[in-house]
Amino acid sequence: KIVIVKGNLQKKGQPLVPSTSTIVTLQFIPKDGGNTFSGKIKRDDGSYEANLPPGVYNVIFIMHDTSLKLPIPKPKTLRTNFDIQTNQTLDLEIDS
């Protein structure tokens, strides 16, 4: 069985729309280990969708502007122990 989690990435309540030089990664990491699952992010409106098996996940996020020539930052945890058992919509707030 696969469930779908979808929603919007937001910054200060507004859709996160990254520039073309910005790499954005959204990962769902099973709490008990195993394969991680990526969220597919739409650059034009900040929405995402992830298809994954039911379980408990930690959700991490990395945003890196390659034009700044800085090292890739550490991932930020957006949610911990997120119990995903059915299809759902979840908006995620990015703090920086």
Side-chain angles (χ1 to χ4, degrees):
K1 180 180 176 186
I2 296 294
V3 296
I4 299 170
V5 178
K6 60 183 177 180
N8 297 297
L9 296 174
Q10 299 177 333
K11 186 173 182 178
K12 297 182 181 174
Q14 299 299 314
L16 177 71
V17 182
S19 69
T20 55
S21 66
T22 301
I23 297 168
V24 180
T25 303
L26 181 65
Q27 294 286 313
F28 291 78
I29 302 171
K31 182 181 176 191
D32 296 330
N35 293 332
T36 63
F37 299 89
S38 296
K40 294 177 180 70
I41 300 166
K42 291 174 74 177
R43 286 187 174 275
D44 59 342
D45 66 2
S47 65
Y48 76 90
E49 182 175 302
N51 301 317
L52 45 126
V56 178
Y57 292 85
N58 292 327
V59 184
I60 66 165
F61 172 82
I62 299 173
M63 187 165 69
H64 177 61
D65 187 341
T66 59
S67 69
L68 299 178
K69 309 278 191 245
L70 296 171
I72 295 173
K74 291 182 179 179
K76 294 185 181 192
T77 300
L78 300 180
R79 291 289 292 262
T80 58
N81 299 322
F82 182 39
D83 191 9
I84 303 171
Q85 300 299 322
T86 60
N87 294 345
Q88 55 191 278
T89 299
L90 173 68
D91 291 338
L92 296 168
E93 184 70 25
I94 309 306
D95 62 5
S96 62

